[in-house]
Every structure is written in structure tokens, then in C-alpha cells.
Amino acid sequence: EVQLVESGGGLVKPGGSLRLSCAASGFTFSSYSMNWVRQAPGKGLEWVSSVTSNSNYIYYADSVKGRFTISRDNAKNSLYLQMDSLRAEDTAVYYCARDTGSGWSYYDYWGQGTLVTVSS
Amino acid sequence: ETVLTQSPATLSLSPGERATLSCRASQSVSSSLAWYQQKPGQAPRLLIYDASNRATGIPARFSGSGSGTDFTLTISSLEPEDFAVYYCQQRSNWPPAFGPGTKVDIK
């Protein structure tokens, strides 16, 4: 069974940093591109970032480019999102999602999400 | 940037009725469109990909159609568990984007 479990969310002040993790199991993690997708409270879905299976290609939404860094460790079956210079508008549930293709494709499995709240 | 518009914003129907949801793209996305279902407090679930292909385990009452800029998700006969928010998503043009969603609620 495919499982994605996010962790690392919490309350952080504007300008602060947070690192999210996603632990994957039930599939060959190293064969899939992975993504972060977020959802602000009561709002819709927003793609944040993608990384290909071997980390050769990395993509970011303009809204987070230069502030967020996606990475993965295939030996640990884990995906990460380092979030720096956080803003109030980054407040959201962050989902880890498996890609069906080679990056920024469709998302066939999702974690349960981790809530990030940016507030003073 | 491709903008997706979904209509209606809310659809109020009874169990057993047919639901027809629309997604329109600001420019052609060919057939590179997916539909997701999200229930309160849950992660989204992939229903349809490439406009008309059902994802693994999705019941046959869900069907998708369309190409270019106009797409439709049809639920042939609503089950109680189908009342949820539905999002379309395109992967044809950079950046990938979701529509604002259509809420299907119980009439």
C-alpha cells in the first residue's frame, strides 16, 4: 500500500524557516517524481514544487521561488521542503504527492498533509 | 499562465441525480487535464486523468470528457459519498494549475 506521511509543520513567525518532511512507503520511491501541493485554509489547491526521480530537474511556483527548496533522499525514501523567509500567505496545509509522470504531471497519491501557520 | 475556471461554484443535487461539472481553460491544454475529489479534512483523490481516463479504483459512474479548452466531469448517479469538492488540474502548460473547485452538496 502506498503511503505518504508528512511532518514538520507548525507555527512560525514571519521571516522564519521550517523544514517539511514526507516519508514514503509501499512503492519504489526512487522511480517517481514527487511534488508539494498546498492549500490555504478554506481555499483551493496550489502546486508548489516538483522534483524528478533522480533530482535532475526541479521546478518551483513563482510564489515560492528563491524562498523554498525541494530535495529528496532516495536512500531514505524521503522528500523534503525547506521553507525560508516565510510569509503570512504561506499559511496552508502542505501535501506531499506522488507524480504520475516526469514532474509537474498529475498526482495519484497524496499524504494527509501538515499545517504550516505563519503568524506573529 | 493557463487559468482554469470551474462552473458552477456550487451544485445542489439529491442522491441518485446526475451531476455535470464544467472546467474551462484560458488556452488549450489538449487532453492534459485531471479531476480530483476532496472531502472535508481529507487529501484530494485523483479521479480522472488525460481528460477521460479513470484512475485506479474509481467507480464507473465517474466519467470525463473534453479537449482543448472545455472539459466536463459527469457523475451519472450521485452516491452519498460523492458529495465533496471537485477540482480540475492542467499539466499541459507551465505552471501546472488547479481550478477553484466546484462544491457538490446535498439538496
Side-chain angles (χ1 to χ4, degrees):
Chain A
E1 179 194 5
V2 172
Q3 282 201 316
L4 298 169
V5 180
E6 301 94 337
S7 60
L11 175 63
V12 61
K13 290 181 168 53
S17 298
L18 215 52
R19 189 194 196 208
L20 306 183
S21 299
C22 172
S25 61
F27 66 103
T28 305
F29 181 73
S30 59
S31 296
Y32 287 85
S33 296
M34 296 295 295
N35 301 268
W36 289 99
V37 178
R38 69 184 180 183
Q39 186 170 36
K43 302 298 184 182
L45 301 165
E46 180 189 14
W47 169 80
V48 173
S49 183
S50 299
V51 57
T52 53
S53 59
N54 55 10
S55 302
N56 278 2
Y57 294 94
I58 284 175
Y59 308 95
Y60 296 102
D62 285 347
S63 57
V64 306
K65 194 177 297 182
R67 300 187 299 121
F68 290 11
T69 303
I70 192 171
S71 62
R72 64 190 295 162
D73 185 336
N74 286 344
K76 294 183 177 180
N77 291 339
S78 293
L79 176 72
Y80 306 101
L81 186 68
Q82 176 66 41
M83 303 186 296
D84 299 320
S85 303
L86 282 161
R87 306 166 180 168
E89 54 265 35
D90 296 319
T91 294
V93 173
Y94 284 74
Y95 294 102
C96 163
R98 192 178 82 168
D99 201 283
T100 62
S102 303
W104 61 283
S105 186
Y106 307 126
Y107 319 112
D108 60 353
Y109 286 94
W110 300 62
Q112 85 288 351
T114 187
L115 176 62
V116 172
T117 303
V118 184
S119 175
S120 55
Chain B
E1 177 176 333
T2 301
V3 176
L4 298 178
T5 304
Q6 292 186 243
S7 61
T10 303
L11 193 54
S12 297
L13 295 169
S14 301
E17 289 193 294
R18 182 184 188 91
T20 303
L21 287 66
S22 174
C23 177
R24 178 164 290 178
S26 60
Q27 60 184 290
S28 176
V29 299
S30 186
S31 295
S32 297
L33 188 111
W35 291 92
Y36 299 83
Q37 176 194 68
Q38 188 179 33
K39 298 178 182 179
Q42 296 186 17
R45 177 173 71 145
L46 178 64
L47 299 175
I48 301 288
Y49 65 94
D50 287 344
S52 61
N53 296 295
R54 273 189 301 276
T56 303
I58 301 304
R61 64 181 181 274
F62 291 92
S63 63
S65 63
S67 66
T69 60
D70 290 295
F71 300 86
T72 300
L73 174 69
T74 301
I75 310 171
S76 59
S77 178
L78 282 163
E79 297 287 341
E81 62 267 27
D82 298 337
F83 292 93
V85 179
Y86 293 83
Y87 295 95
C88 57
Q89 177 240 330
Q90 69 85 19
R91 64 149 197 170
S92 178
N93 306 319
W94 179 262
F98 292 89
T102 290
K103 182 178 183 180
V104 179
D105 65 14
I106 300 177
K107 187 174 182 180

